[in-house]
Amino acid sequence: MHIRTADQFPHRIVREDLWIPLPDGTRLYARIWRPVTEEPVPVLLEYLPYRLSDWTAPRDAQRHPWYAGHGYASVRVDVRGHGNSEGRPGDEYDETELADGEAVIAWLAAQPWSSGKVGMFGISWGGFNSLQLAARAPEALKAIVTVCSADDRYDNDVHYMGGSVLAVDMHAWASTMLAFVSRPPDPAQVGEGWREMWRRRLEAVDPFIHTWLGHQSRDAYWRHGSVCEDYSTVKAAVLAVGGWHDPYRDTVLRLVEHLPRESGAPVRGLIGPWSHQYPDRGLPPGPAIGFLQETLRWWDKWLKADDKTAAPGEKDVMDEPLLRSWISEPHPPATVYPRLAGRWAGDAAWPSPAVTMTPYELPGSGPVHVRSPQHTGVDAGRFFPFGNDSDLPPDQREEDGRSVCFDSGTLGGRVEVLGRPRVRLRITSDVPRGQVIARVCDVAPDGSSTLVTRGVLNLTARHGRDRVVEWQPGATEDVTFELNGIGHAFPPGHRIRLALSSAYWPWIWPQPGSEAGWVLDPAGSRLELPVRDPAADAGAPPIRFAEPEQAEPLGVRYPEAANPRPERVVVRDVAAGEWRLEVDPRYGGTRVYPDGLEFTENALETYSIHEDDPLRAAARSAWEIRLKRADLGWDARVTTRSRLRADGADFIAVNEVRCEDGGEEVFHRVWERRIPRTAG
C-alpha cells in the first residue's frame, strides 16, 4: 500500500463541513474536500446513513482527499435522520432518501466551484443508492461507480434468498440498523440542540424487520429501487464492482449483460476475489488492486474529457473488456485467505461466447430422500464477509455429511468455471412447504471439501418470487434455479461435488414442516456448470492493475479489548439436541478519534435451533454503543435488544431500544409484533 501525503498530489486540498439545504428546509450534513484551483471541477458524491463524523471517517479519509488531490470536489453526505443530518429517518432507499439524493446532486452541480458534472460512488448502501439514483437519471449525474451493491432488492440483498427469509442477515442487519439509527447527533457539530434533535429522531424509529417481514414475496415494495425492473432507465456510465466473496456479486453479471442492450449506458464490470470491502483496502481475501487509480480513469473519461478520449499514452477505459473477472486457483478450505492465487480473465461480451453451460448428470439408480438435520448450515460462514478471521466457510465435510452428495469422477483435466451454475432437480414432496439448498464444492484427493458456491430455492417460490404456490403433497415436479456466480478452477485429480440439503440454518429460516425433507430422483436431475475455455485469453493483453494507494490515514486509535471474545463459536447441547451459533460481527470495536471523540460498540448475534424441529429456530441480537467527549462532558449510550422466532403461523419479533445521556434515560421503547408467515 502506497500512502500519498498531501504534498504529493497534483492539487492542494481544502476541507469544509457544511449543511446542504433541501427543498423542504431540512439540512443534510456534508463534508467536502476540494482542490485548490480557480477552475470549476467535477464533483463526486458518496451518500450514506453511516455517520461521516465518526463511523466511516477512517474509510472516508483514505479516498475523498485522494480524489480531491486529483482535481475533483469529493463530497460525503449523511442521509436524512442519520449522523448530524436533520430530519427523521426512514426506511432504506425510500422515496424520501432518493428524492433528497436528487436534490443534493442538483445543489452540488450548481455550486460556483462545480463544473456541473457529478459522479456518484459507494459500497453497499452507497453503491445501492448510486445505482438507484442513476436509474432516476438526474441531469447532472454522468457516471457512477457502484461497489458491492444490488440491482434486485428482493432476491439479491440482505432480506431474501431464493424466495426464503435470510435469517442470518435480515434479522442481524435490521438489528444493526436499529442500533445505528438510534445513535445521537454529535454536539460538537450540531451544538446544544443535539438532545432534542435526538429525541425527535428516536420517536420516528420503527424497526426495519417489521417492514421487511411484512413483504415476504416480491411485491411493489421490493420493486421500488430494484434497477432490474427496467434497466433502460439508467443513462449514466456505470462501473460495477464486486467480489466473489460478497453476496451481491451477481449484480455485476446482470449489469454488464443488460445495460448495453437495454439502456445503451456505457458499462464495465469488475469482479475480484474480494469480500464486502473496497478493493484497495487490503483486507482478506486479496490481492488488492489500485482501485482509486482505476476509478480515476472512469471519472476522467466521463466527467472531465469533453471528447471522451484518453490522454496521450493512456489506454481508454472503454477499451478494457466488458467484464474483468478473477478466476481463483484451487485452494484448501479455510476461514480466511490473506491472498488467493489466480488470474484475471477478460470477456468482451456477457454472456460470453467463451463460456458453455456444461451438464453433469447425477449418479444414482433410484430416488434419494433428502432430510437434513435443522442445524445444517452452521459451517456456512458469514453472509457478509468483511475480511475477518472467521468469515469464510471452513472445511465442508461435516456439512456434506448432513447433505446428500453427488460427486463427479476424478477430473482428468482442469475445469474453469465463470458465471452462475444451475441445478435442475426432479423432486417429490409430501409436505406443502420446504427449501432446497445446493452447494458446489471442490473435493481434493485428501477428502477436504472447499465450498465454491451455493444457491437456495423456497419451493413455494418455484413459479416466481412474486407468488406463493404450495406444493401438492405427493406430487413430483422439476425445479430449476441458479447458484451464485463464481470464478474458480477445478484441477486434475479433484472431484466436483453437488451437495443438496433441505435445511441451511442460520442463513435460511426453516419452513414449518420442512423437517420432512423431500425426495430427489437423480435420473431426472443434473448440475450445469458455466465452463470457460482458457484458450479464450490466448493473444489477449494481460489484465493488470496498479498497486493500491490511498491518502494519509485519519489517525484513529483502536485500543485492544482486555478479553476479546471469539468471532464465531458453535455450541452443541448433545442431550437436548440443540445447536447455538454465537457471532461477534466486529464492525470496529472501540476507537478514539483525533478530535477527542471516543466511540465504543459491542455486538453479539446468537442463532439457536433444535436439530429436529424447525419451529425452535430463534435469532437474537444485542448492541451497546457509547459516544463520549470528555471536553464537552458528553456521554451518550445506546442499548438495543432484538429477538425473532416463529411458530407455524407467525413470525414473532421483539425489539427494545434504551438511550441515555450521562446516565439519564432519554428514550426507552419496546416493540412486540406478530407478522403472518406467508412466503416465509
Side-chain angles (χ1 to χ4, degrees):
M1 173 71 70
H2 174 63
I3 301 299
R4 279 187 181 254
T5 58
D7 59 353
Q8 294 176 326
F9 291 117
H11 296 272
R12 289 193 303 112
I13 305 163
V14 293
R15 197 196 87 178
E16 179 184 11
D17 285 14
L18 50 77
W19 275 268
I20 295 176
L22 298 176
D24 67 355
T26 302
R27 300 181 305 164
L28 301 187
Y29 191 67
R31 179 164 292 166
I32 301 177
W33 293 260
R34 289 194 291 116
V36 177
T37 175
E38 297 298 322
E39 298 295 324
V41 296
V43 185
L44 305 178
L45 168 64
E46 188 176 20
Y47 176 52
L48 291 169
Y50 298 149
R51 301 175 64 97
L52 66 87
S53 60
D54 46 61
W55 208 70
T56 67
R59 187 181 79 191
D60 296 344
Q62 296 171 334
R63 57 205 64 250
H64 287 278
W66 193 95
Y67 286 137
H70 285 85
Y72 289 84
S74 198
V75 184
R76 173 67 177 83
V77 177
D78 278 341
V79 167
R80 177 191 294 254
H82 293 267
N84 298 316
S85 287
E86 297 175 347
R88 298 188 175 194
D91 192 12
E92 59 177 9
Y93 323 123
D94 64 9
E95 177 60 27
T96 299
E97 176 185 333
L98 298 180
D100 288 352
E102 288 187 273
V104 169
I105 290 170
W107 186 88
L108 293 172
Q111 298 311 296
W113 38 261
S114 168
S115 71
K117 294 182 178 180
V118 178
M120 194 170 178
F121 72 93
I123 181 170
S124 198
W125 194 305
F128 272 78
N129 61 27
S130 295
L131 190 57
Q132 292 168 18
L133 281 163
R136 295 166 77 101
E139 182 179 356
L141 185 62
K142 305 301 182 183
I144 69 168
V145 176
T146 179
V147 185
C148 296
S149 74
D151 62 341
D152 185 345
R153 291 188 55 226
Y154 178 74
D155 212 34
N156 197 192
D157 200 349
V158 298
H159 316 100
Y160 295 87
M161 185 176 185
S164 288
V165 172
L166 262 173
V168 71
D169 241 67
M170 180 188 283
H171 181 260
W173 191 242
S175 304
T176 299
M177 285 307 299
L178 181 62
F180 281 11
V181 76
S182 298
R183 295 173 295 186
D186 191 331
Q189 278 81 39
V190 304
E192 295 181 357
W194 72 271
R195 185 163 169 171
E196 182 56 32
M197 185 177 172
W198 188 22
R199 195 190 305 274
R200 290 196 304 270
R201 182 181 296 179
L202 290 166
E203 290 170 352
V205 167
D206 186 63
F208 284 174
I209 194 74
H210 299 160
T211 303
W212 296 346
L213 281 175
H215 299 272
Q216 291 169 37
S217 295
R218 186 189 179 86
D219 57 13
Y221 173 78
W222 299 112
R223 290 193 293 271
H224 165 80
S226 289
V227 175
C228 63
E229 293 293 315
D230 186 359
Y231 291 104
S232 70
T233 60
V234 177
K235 304 304 179 187
V238 177
L239 177 59
V241 183
W244 292 130
H245 291 92
D246 178 75
Y248 297 154
R249 72 259 198 179
D250 294 338
T251 284
V252 178
L253 300 178
R254 288 192 294 269
L255 289 176
V256 295
E257 176 181 358
H258 293 288
L259 285 184
R261 184 175 71 233
E262 297 187 19
S263 74
V267 63
R268 287 295 181 268
L270 175 62
I271 310 180
W274 313 300
S275 62
H276 194 71
Q277 294 287 355
Y278 278 120
D280 57 298
R281 299 193 69 194
L283 295 167
I289 65 169
F291 184 62
L292 290 173
Q293 301 97 301
E294 191 64 21
T295 59
L296 186 65
R297 297 174 65 204
W298 194 254
W299 303 132
D300 285 351
K301 170 73 176 180
W302 302 110
L303 303 182
K304 277 191 175 179
D306 291 334
D307 58 1
K308 302 293 188 294
T309 59
E314 291 186 6
K315 183 179 180 181
D316 192 297
V317 69
M318 293 305 289
D319 290 337
E320 300 288 357
L322 176 69
L323 177 66
R324 288 171 287 174
S325 307
W326 177 267
I327 298 180
S328 294
E329 291 295 313
H331 43 275
T335 59
V336 65
Y337 303 95
R339 184 184 179 96
L340 283 169
R343 67 180 181 86
W344 289 101
D347 289 278
W350 195 263
S352 172
V355 175
T356 302
M357 291 303 292
T358 304
Y360 287 77
E361 305 299 331
L362 305 188
S365 57
V368 180
H369 193 182
V370 180
R371 183 180 180 274
S372 307
Q374 293 299 306
H375 64 283
T376 305
V378 293
D379 285 339
R382 186 172 184 168
F383 182 74
F384 267 113
F386 278 90
N388 293 335
D389 290 342
S390 68
D391 280 359
L392 304 184
D395 195 318
Q396 294 290 284
R397 278 182 277 197
E398 290 189 35
E399 295 282 64
D400 295 348
R402 295 185 275 261
S403 308
V404 172
C405 297
F406 300 90
D407 288 6
S408 71
T410 301
L411 298 177
R414 179 184 175 93
V415 177
E416 288 191 1
V417 297
L418 178 63
R420 301 192 69 180
R422 185 166 55 223
V423 290
R424 300 179 185 273
L425 306 176
R426 182 162 294 164
I427 289 175
T428 303
S429 177
D430 290 330
V431 294
R433 295 183 175 233
Q435 284 121 340
V436 181
I437 296 87
R439 291 178 294 113
V440 173
C441 298
D442 184 340
V443 182
D446 65 0
S448 61
S449 180
T450 301
L451 182 66
V452 175
T453 188
R454 57 197 145 193
V456 176
L457 177 65
N458 179 346
L459 288 177
T460 65
R462 66 195 182 280
H463 297 306
R465 305 294 192 261
D466 60 343
R467 67 202 73 176
V468 177
V469 181
E470 292 193 337
W471 200 281
Q472 183 66 35
T476 300
E477 293 188 33
D478 293 339
V479 300
T480 301
F481 61 97
E482 289 183 310
L483 283 58
N484 294 128
I486 195 65
H488 180 84
F490 295 88
H494 284 217
R495 288 171 289 138
I496 299 171
R497 172 171 293 166
L498 174 64
L500 300 173
S501 63
S502 59
Y504 208 54
W505 177 260
W507 275 43
I508 302 301
W509 201 285
Q511 294 271 18
S514 61
E515 69 275 17
W518 36 268
V519 174
L520 176 78
D521 180 4
S525 306
R526 67 187 185 188
L527 166 68
E528 298 177 0
L529 291 180
V531 177
R532 188 176 188 276
D533 180 5
D537 299 317
I543 295 172
R544 294 192 175 97
F545 297 94
E547 290 300 309
E549 66 175 55
Q550 296 172 350
E552 291 181 274
L554 185 60
V556 176
R557 291 191 297 108
Y558 296 86
E560 292 189 10
N563 296 296
R565 61 178 169 230
E567 290 180 15
R568 197 174 190 90
V569 175
V570 178
V571 179
R572 180 186 182 188
D573 185 330
V574 177
E578 292 179 346
W579 293 71
R580 186 174 74 252
L581 175 65
E582 298 177 353
V583 179
D584 182 341
R586 296 203 179 181
Y587 286 122
T590 298
R591 62 213 90 164
V592 181
Y593 291 81
D595 66 355
L597 174 67
E598 296 180 32
F599 188 111
T600 302
E601 62 185 26
N602 178 35
L604 182 65
E605 301 164 9
T606 306
Y607 306 92
S608 59
I609 199 164
H610 189 280
E611 58 194 22
D612 293 325
D613 187 358
L615 297 184
R616 298 267 289 275
R620 295 176 176 82
S621 178
W623 273 85
E624 295 174 358
I625 297 175
R626 183 181 185 185
L627 297 100
K628 182 179 179 181
R629 288 191 179 276
D631 58 332
L632 297 181
W634 183 54
D635 189 352
R637 297 173 186 256
V638 175
T639 303
T640 67
R641 299 289 184 268
S642 302
R643 303 187 301 278
L644 184 66
R645 62 182 181 86
D647 56 25
D650 300 310
F651 287 101
I652 301 100
V654 180
N655 290 275
E656 180 180 11
V657 173
R658 186 184 302 273
C659 299
E660 299 176 354
D661 171 26
E664 177 187 350
E665 185 172 281
V666 174
F667 180 85
H668 180 222
R669 185 174 177 184
V670 178
W671 296 262
E672 297 187 25
R673 190 74 57 87
R674 295 185 73 96
I675 303 164
R677 300 184 74 166
T678 53

